[in-house]
Coordinates of all heavy atoms in Angstrom, one line a residue:
W146 N 23.8 15.8 1.2 CA 23.6 14.4 1.3 C 24.4 13.7 0.2 O 24.7 14.3 -0.8 CB 22.2 13.9 1.4 CG 21.2 14.4 0.3 CD1 20.2 15.3 0.6 CD2 21.1 14.0 -1.0 NE1 19.5 15.5 -0.7 CE2 20.1 14.7 -1.7 CE3 21.8 13.1 -1.8 CZ2 19.8 14.5 -3.0 CZ3 21.6 12.9 -3.2 CH2 20.4 13.6 -3.7
V174 N 36.9 2.8 -7.2 CA 36.7 1.3 -7.1 C 35.2 1.1 -7.3 O 34.4 2.0 -6.9 CB 37.3 0.8 -5.8 CG1 38.8 0.6 -5.7 CG2 36.8 1.6 -4.5
D187 N 36.6 16.0 8.2 CA 36.3 16.2 6.8 C 36.7 15.0 5.9 O 37.5 15.0 5.0 CB 37.1 17.4 6.3 CG 36.6 17.9 4.8 OD1 35.6 17.6 4.5 OD2 37.4 18.6 4.3
A380 N 1.7 -13.0 6.1 CA 1.0 -12.2 4.9 C 1.6 -12.6 3.6 O 1.2 -12.0 2.6 CB 0.7 -10.9 5.2

Side-chain angles (χ1 to χ4, degrees):
W146 51 250
V174 285
D187 191 24

